[in-house]
Amino acid sequence: MPFEDCVIRPVRADEWRAAKELRLAALRDPVAHLAFLETYEDAVARPDSFWRERTANGAEGADGARQFVAETADGDWVGTVAVLIEEAGSTDWAGFPVERRQGHLVAVYVAPGHRGSGLAKALFEAALEWAWTCDAERVRLIVHPGNARALGFYRKAGFVESGVTVPLAGKPDEREVEMVVER
């Protein structure tokens, strides 16, 4: 299905069930162990209150984060990306200082039948546009060097390796790579 048949939009707080299902689908992907910091087993065990809060925190109108989804004409969600705004002077999720206001792309996923259609590009365009409206000076993401498909797409989308690496959660001998795009 071409991505033109999808609408890219922010989630709404009351759509937590669909957001949960899309996240669980992403966590069942064969490269999920390289792409995400949580497992399917951990996520599926979370209570509905977690999913309500997570969705509300990234929903349309929320401050500091936005989750975008790709929705087909049939109402199926087939892709997502979330943007977190990190403030200068704060500390990021890995404990490193944030030097300037920036967006951080997380939870990137496109369903297998929609990969290569331009859908990921459309999701990234929406995410970057939102980050720029939030006065982000740059947008970054963290990627496992073994996730070749993601690395290739991120490079094609204009992201470059910054030279910063971070330890992989739970595996301090493995490192992930920061990629950035400047405003």
Side-chain angles (χ1 to χ4, degrees), residues 97-143:
V98 175
E99 296 177 5
R100 50 192 176 147
R101 186 175 176 86
Q102 62 191 10
H104 186 159
L105 299 183
V106 297
V108 177
Y109 175 72
V110 172
H114 298 270
R115 294 177 185 159
S117 68
L119 187 57
K121 182 178 187 276
L123 283 162
F124 267 51
E125 287 171 354
L128 289 171
E129 181 179 324
W130 184 78
W132 303 145
T133 66
C134 293
D135 296 323
E137 295 178 34
R138 71 178 195 157
V139 174
R140 72 178 184 150
L141 54 83
I142 307 294
V143 61

Side-chain angles (χ1 to χ4, degrees), residues 1 7 11 29 52 59 74 118 131 134 139 153 168:
M1 168 183 287
V7 172
V11 299
D29 191 271
R52 283 187 188 100
D74 296 335
C134 293
V139 174
F153 170 73
L168 185 60

